[in-house]
């Protein structure tokens, strides 16, 4: 038997194949982009589509389903001794340290263990805000720049603390910080 070498296609054929492939790629990308653009308005973003009724209790942010258990565990473990603060009023680093330190404002606590600790941490981390590098870590609501930013025109007759929240937010016991007293209801 004679050994045959494979036949090589002429250069012209290769150019034709490359050109066809290139046209096909451009066509697919263009059509794919067009289809995505047409369907983008029809879809609701996933985090907003999965929001539960928890938002009805007045939390500051809408809570997607995947953070609801973390919020519930946070309230069960923290709001039983004091007002459950929205994560937004303290920096993320404060929340991280609070979850790791058994010494809690003069009291010794039994720390949460995983997986509940991770669920609470995911909730707090997601809805709290970062701390600036040069900023001193706020452990008290009154010293948090986030608390101050959320209350820009509020003149405090005494230093703010978590017990004084109910003065302006009568729904605090239900984790409702959106409901305000009549005095603040229509304020700027």
């Amino acid at each position: 038997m004679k050994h045959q070498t494979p036949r090589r296609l002429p250069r012209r054929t290769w150019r034709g194949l490359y050109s066809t492939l290139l046209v096909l790629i451009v066509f697919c990308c263009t059509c794919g982009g067009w289809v995505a653009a047409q369907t983008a308005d029809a879809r609701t973003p996933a985090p907003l589509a999965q929001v539960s009724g928890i938002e009805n209790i007045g939390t500051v942010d809408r809570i997607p389903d995947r953070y609801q258990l973390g919020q519930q565990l946070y309230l069960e473990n923290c709001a039983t001794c004091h007002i459950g603060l929205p994560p937004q009023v303290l920096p993320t680093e404060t929340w991280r340290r609070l979850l790791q330190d058994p010494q809690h404002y003069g009291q010794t606590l039994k720390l949460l263990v995983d997986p509940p600790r991770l669920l609470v941490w995911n909730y707090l981390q997601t809805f709290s805000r970062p701390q600036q590098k040069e900023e001193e870590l706020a452990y008290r609501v009154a010293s948090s720049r986030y608390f101050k930013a959320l209350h820009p025109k509020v003149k405090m007759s005494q230093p703010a603390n978590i017990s004084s929240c109910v003065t302006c937010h009568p729904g605090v016991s239900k984790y409702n910080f959106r409901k305000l007293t009549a005095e603040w209801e229509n304020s700027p």
Side-chain angles (χ1 to χ4, degrees), residues 138-158:
Y139 279 101
R140 301 282 179 189
V141 172
S143 60
S144 169
R145 73 181 170 96
Y146 297 117
F147 174 81
K148 293 171 187 170
L150 290 167
H151 300 81
K153 297 186 179 185
V154 176
K155 303 286 187 241
M156 302 279 181
S157 59
Q158 59 188 21

Side-chain angles (χ1 to χ4, degrees), residues 6 12 41 60-62 73 75 83 88 97 113 116 127 144 158-159 167 186:
R12 195 182 228 170
D41 290 334
V60 176
D61 287 320
R62 303 180 97 178
L73 289 167
L75 293 172
I83 292 168
Q88 297 85 343
R97 290 186 184 184
V113 293
F127 294 98
S144 169
Q158 59 188 21
T167 305
N186 297 315

Side-chain angles (χ1 to χ4, degrees), residues 92-109:
T92 305
E93 181 61 19
T94 300
W95 291 113
R96 186 184 68 75
R97 290 186 184 184
L98 288 173
L99 283 175
Q100 296 175 341
D101 189 0
Q103 295 303 313
H104 187 76
Y105 300 100
Q107 300 293 319
T108 302
L109 300 177

Side-chain angles (χ1 to χ4, degrees), residues 34-132:
W34 180 80
V35 169
Q38 296 301 313
T39 58
D41 290 334
R43 290 183 291 164
T44 303
L48 293 179
Q50 298 170 356
V51 173
S52 78
I54 289 183
E55 70 180 286
N56 295 332
I57 64 172
T59 58
V60 176
D61 287 320
R62 303 180 97 178
I63 309 298
D65 289 342
R66 68 180 195 210
Y67 299 111
Q68 289 176 16
L69 183 55
Q71 181 190 48
Q72 180 183 343
L73 289 167
Y74 163 71
L75 293 172
E76 287 173 6
N77 286 280
C78 301
T80 54
C81 296
H82 57 74
I83 292 168
L85 292 174
Q88 297 85 343
V89 299
L90 291 171
T92 305
E93 181 61 19
T94 300
W95 291 113
R96 186 184 68 75
R97 290 186 184 184
L98 288 173
L99 283 175
Q100 296 175 341
D101 189 0
Q103 295 303 313
H104 187 76
Y105 300 100
Q107 300 293 319
T108 302
L109 300 177
K110 182 180 175 190
L111 293 176
L112 286 172
V113 293
D114 294 342
R117 183 187 64 84
L118 288 173
L119 292 167
V120 170
W121 171 239
N122 285 336
Y123 164 67
L124 294 172
Q125 174 184 316
T126 301
F127 294 98
S128 61
R129 296 176 169 104
Q131 178 181 338
Q132 293 178 346

